[in-house]
DNA sequence: TTGAAAGCGCTAACAG
DNA sequence: CTGTTAGCGCTTTCAA
C-alpha cells in the first residue's frame, strides 16, 4: 500500500508522478526540471500528470542531490528598520519572479552575529548571499566573514553586498561621501555656520563615508571641521533623541543639525518639537536616506535620497549575474531632496 | 584523497568530524544534535572537534533525513510596509534564539499569490508557516489556502496566522473591532458628528472588522451609519491621499477623518497639509496600528496601537508550542493613543 | 531518448 | 553507550 507511505510524509514523491505517467523516475526528473534529452511529448505528459496530482518537489532532496538550492540569503541589521525593509522589498521583488525563496536574518550591527548568520546561510546551501548592512571601518573585524564568504564563492556560491565592505565581492555602492557633501553644502549654502552632526558609530563605513563628505564640504567652506561638534549615539531614532538632548545641553548655539540617517533625524525633530524649538525657524534639520515617511513628517525632512528598493534589486541581480573574476561595483545615485526642515539660520 | 571531495562540495561532512574524533558517524550525529545516548565525555569531544574544524551541518541532508526542517515561513503582504516589517521583526526575534531560519515571501494582498507562496513553503518543508496580513471576507477566496494549510498541519507542520479567521488554525488576533469602536468613540466624544471614514478594500477582514467597530460606536451615539461617508481606496499611503482628495471634493463639511490604518492616515495628513487645512483645528485625523513613525509626524497621529512586534513573536510562539487539537486564539490588546491630530471640531 | 543505479549528507532504527 | 545500515527524495552519470 502506497497510501501509508504517503501519509507518513505527507506528499507525493517523484516516483508517484513517474508511475502515474508510466515513465521512469529519471525521465520524470528530467521532464520536470526542463532538462534536455526527453522527447517533448513525454515531457509534456509528465508535467500534466504532475500538475494534476499537485506534485511539488521536495526542496531538500533536490538541493542535496544537486548541491545547490534556489534560495538566497539576506543579512540585514534589523528588518524593522525602514532602510532595511525597503532593501528587503527590492530583493523580494526580483527573487519571486526568478523562483527564488529568500531567507532573511538579523545581524544586529554585530560582526559576530553577522558571521554567525552567514555561516547559517552557507549551511543552508543558499545559492546567493546578500549582506545589506553597513561594513565596518576596521577590516579585521570582518576577516572571519570575508573568509567564509570567499570560501562560499569558491564553491560556486554568489555574493553581493550593499555599501562599502572589505569583503572583496560584488557590491552595490551608494555614494555616501558625495551625499554627505551635498547635504552639508546645502546647509552651508543657506548660511549656516554653527552646525552639529549627529551620527551612529564611526566604526560603520556608512557613517565614516558620510562624515568624510561632510568634512569636505565644511573644509571647502573655509571652516575647521574640528570645530564642528559631532555627537555619536546609536544609529536609530532613539539615538537621535539622545544626541539631540546632548546638543541642546552642550551646544545651544547651533543653527542646524545634520543627522547621518533619517531615523536619527526623526529623533532629533521629535526632541526639538517637544522642547518647543521651531524647525526650521530656529534650527534646521537634515537627514539621510529618504525613507518613505521623510516626506510626511512635519516639517517634511530635507534629506539625501538613496534608492533603497533599487539597491536591493540591483544587489540580487548582481549576485545572480554571471560570476566575474574580479569584484564588480554598481554605484547608485543619490539626490538631495530639499523639503521644509531647512531654512536660512535665524538672523 | 579526501581533499578533492572537500573541494567539490566545499564543506566537511559529518563523517570528517567522526573520523577526526575517532567515533562512528552515528555517535557524531547524536553528539551534535544533543540527543541522549552518548556519554557526555565523548559528546563533548565530538563537539570540540566539530567546532575546531568549523563544521556546519548540511541543512538539506538533515531535513531530508529527519523529515522536518528548522526553518519557518512567513507570508506578508509587503515587507516594505512598516506594519509587516515590524511583525517580521518580532518573528525574527524569536526565531533566531531558537535556531530557526526564516523564509519571507510576499503575497501582495492577492489570494492567488498567497496560495502560491504557501505551496512553495510547504515544498520547502518548513517546520511552520505564519501567515500575516489580513484575510478575506469571502471564505471561498481562501479555500485553497485553507486546504493546503490543513494538509500541511495534518502532516506535522505548524501553522499560525495573524489577524484572520477563516483558516481554522492557531491565530493571533488583534481586536480590530474594539479598536475601531474606541477610535470612533474618541472622535464622537470630542463632539465630531460629521466624520468620514477612509478605508482599504472591504474584502479584507481587517477592514471589515475595524469598520464594524466604527459602526457600533456611531450607532451607539445615535447617528445613522448610512450617513457616514466611507471612502474606499488602496490600503496604502497613496490610497489615503486619493481618498482625502475625494473627501475634500465631495464632503467638504466633515470635521474628522477616520482612516482605517496609519498608512492611509499619513496620506490624508499629507493632502490636508498641502491644501493648507490645519489639523486638528479644522479637521481631526485618526489612524490605526500605531506604526513607529506615527508619534513623529506633525501633528503626531492619534491612533490605535497594535503591538506588531509582539504579534509576530506571539505568532511564532504559538506555532512552536505543542500542537493542540483545536485552534487556539491569542487576543492581543489594543490601546487608543491620543496625540495631537485630534481636537474638538471647530465651533 | 530512456532507464538503472549510485550517491548527495544526514538521521534513526536496530544490533551489539 | 556505540556502531552498522537502511533509507529520506532527488539528480545525474552510465548503459542500453
Amino acid at each position: 500500500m502506497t497510501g501509508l507511505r504517503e501519509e507518513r510524509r505527507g506528499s507525493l514523491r517523484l516516483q508517484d508522478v513517474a508511475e502515474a505517467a508510466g515513465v521512469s523516475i529519471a525521465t520524470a526528473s528530467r521532464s520536470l526540471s526542463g532538462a534536455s534529452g526527453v522527447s517533448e511529448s513525454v515531457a509534456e505528459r509528465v508535467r500534466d500528470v504532475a500538475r494534476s496530482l499537485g506534485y511539488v518537489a521536495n526542496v531538500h532532496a533536490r538541493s542535496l542531490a544537486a548541491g545547490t538550492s534556489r534560495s538566497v540569503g539576506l543579512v540585514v541589521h534589523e528588518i524593522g528598520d525602514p532602510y532595511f525593509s525597503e532593501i528587503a522589498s527590492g530583493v523580494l521583488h526580483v527573487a519571486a519572479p526568478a523562483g527564488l525563496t529568500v531567507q532573511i536574518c538579523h545581524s544586529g550591527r554585530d560582526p559576530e552575529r553577522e558571521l554567525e548568520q552567514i555561516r547559517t546561510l552557507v549551511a543552508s546551501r543558499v545559492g546567493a548571499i546578500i549582506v545589506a548592512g553597513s561594513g565596518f571601518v576596521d577590516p579585521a573585524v570582518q576577516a572571519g566573514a570575508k573568509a567564509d564568504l570567499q570560501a562560499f564563492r569558491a564553491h560556486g556560491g554568489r555574493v553581493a553586498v550593499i555599501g562599502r565592505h572589505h569583503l572583496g565581492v560584488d557590491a552595490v555602492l551608494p555614494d555616501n561621501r558625495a551625499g554627505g557633501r551635498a547635504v552639508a553644502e546645502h546647509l552651508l549654502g543657506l548660511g549656516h555656520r554653527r552646525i552639529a552632526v549627529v551620527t551612529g558609530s564611526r566604526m560603520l563605513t556608512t557613517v565614516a563615508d558620510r562624515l568624510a563628505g561632510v568634512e569636505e564640504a565644511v573644509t571647502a567652506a573655509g571652516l575647521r571641521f574640528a570645530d564642528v561638534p559631532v555627537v555619536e549615539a546609536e544609529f536609530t531614532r532613539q539615538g537621535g533623541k539622545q544626541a539631540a538632548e546632548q546638543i541642546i545641553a552642550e551646544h545651544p548655539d547651533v543653527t542646524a543639525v545634520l543627522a547621518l540617517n533619517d531615523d536619527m533625524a526623526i529623533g532629533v525633530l521629535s526632541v526639538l518639537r517637544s522642547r518647543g524649538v521651531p524647525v526650521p525657524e530656529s534650527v534646521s534639520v537634515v537627514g539621510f536616506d529618504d525613507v518613505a515617511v521623510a516626506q510626511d513628517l512635519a516639517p517634511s525632512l530635507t534629506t539625501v535620497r538613496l534608492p533603497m528598493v533599487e539597491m536591493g534589486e540591483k544587489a540580487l541581480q548582481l549576485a545572480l549575474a554571471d560570476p566575474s573574476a574580479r569584484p564588480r561595483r554598481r554605484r547608485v545615485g543619490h539626490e538631495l531632496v530639499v523639503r521644509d526642515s531647512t531654512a536660512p539660520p535665524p538672523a
Side-chain angles (χ1 to χ4, degrees), chain A residues 83 86 261-262 287-295 301-308 335 337 339:
Chain A
Y83 176 81
E86 290 186 32
N261 76 4
D262 285 352
F288 204 116
D289 286 343
D290 197 25
V291 297
V293 295
Q295 62 179 301
L301 187 66
T302 293
T303 187
V304 173
R305 170 174 308 169
L306 252 36
M308 276 91 75
E335 179 191 354
V337 183
R339 298 207 182 91

Side-chain angles (χ1 to χ4, degrees), chain A residues 269-337:
Chain A
L269 283 176
S270 167
V271 167
L272 292 178
R273 186 171 55 238
S274 69
R275 295 299 185 93
V277 179
V279 176
E281 293 75 12
S282 291
V283 175
S284 287
V285 176
V286 298
F288 204 116
D289 286 343
D290 197 25
V291 297
V293 295
Q295 62 179 301
D296 297 309
L297 299 167
S300 57
L301 187 66
T302 293
T303 187
V304 173
R305 170 174 308 169
L306 252 36
M308 276 91 75
V309 174
E310 183 192 332
M311 284 157 59
E313 294 170 350
K314 276 224 167 91
L316 183 49
Q317 283 160 354
L318 210 46
L320 261 30
D322 291 328
S324 82
R326 48 195 191 69
R328 284 168 291 204
R329 326 214 144 241
R330 291 271 179 287
R331 306 210 164 269
V332 295
H334 64 273
E335 179 191 354
L336 178 68
V337 183

Side-chain angles (χ1 to χ4, degrees), chain A residues 165-344:
Chain A
H165 290 250
H166 301 290
L167 264 21
V169 296
D170 289 349
V172 173
L173 298 170
D175 199 341
N176 284 314
R177 185 174 192 132
R181 202 187 313 125
V183 75
E185 279 167 357
H186 168 65
L187 288 178
L188 292 162
L190 285 171
H192 291 277
R193 287 300 173 270
R194 293 190 304 280
I195 301 172
V197 177
V198 168
T199 165
S201 166
R202 300 189 198 207
M203 295 296 95
L204 301 172
T205 56
T206 300
V207 167
D209 293 346
R210 292 178 182 181
L211 205 51
V214 172
E215 177 167 3
E216 278 175 26
V218 166
T219 308
L223 302 178
R224 287 179 22 161
F225 187 62
D227 295 337
V228 174
V230 177
V231 180
E232 191 172 324
E234 261 193 39
F235 214 20
T236 62
R237 188 165 315 192
Q238 192 49 42
K241 290 186 180 176
Q242 205 176 307
E245 303 280 8
Q246 192 177 331
I247 288 172
I248 289 171
E250 302 174 7
H251 309 281
D253 59 334
V254 302
T255 61
V257 176
L258 191 164
L260 291 187
N261 76 4
D262 285 352
D263 235 24
M264 293 193 92
I266 291 172
V268 170
L269 283 176
S270 167
V271 167
L272 292 178
R273 186 171 55 238
S274 69
R275 295 299 185 93
V277 179
V279 176
E281 293 75 12
S282 291
V283 175
S284 287
V285 176
V286 298
F288 204 116
D289 286 343
D290 197 25
V291 297
V293 295
Q295 62 179 301
D296 297 309
L297 299 167
S300 57
L301 187 66
T302 293
T303 187
V304 173
R305 170 174 308 169
L306 252 36
M308 276 91 75
V309 174
E310 183 192 332
M311 284 157 59
E313 294 170 350
K314 276 224 167 91
L316 183 49
Q317 283 160 354
L318 210 46
L320 261 30
D322 291 328
S324 82
R326 48 195 191 69
R328 284 168 291 204
R329 326 214 144 241
R330 291 271 179 287
R331 306 210 164 269
V332 295
H334 64 273
E335 179 191 354
L336 178 68
V337 183
V338 178
R339 298 207 182 91
D340 303 335
S341 65
T342 48

Side-chain angles (χ1 to χ4, degrees), chain A residues 124-138:
Chain A
S124 300
R125 302 309 193 264
V126 292
I129 294 178
I130 294 177
V131 182
S134 173
F136 296 87
V137 172
D138 179 359

Side-chain angles (χ1 to χ4, degrees), chain A residues 68-103:
Chain A
T68 64
S69 73
R70 298 207 49 79
S71 76
V72 311
L74 171 64
V75 183
V76 299
H77 285 337
E78 163 64 55
I79 192 68
D81 179 331
Y83 176 81
F84 293 109
S85 67
E86 290 186 32
I87 286 178
S89 182
V91 170
L92 279 171
H93 283 308
V94 355
L100 297 168
T101 62
V102 179
Q103 233 178 79

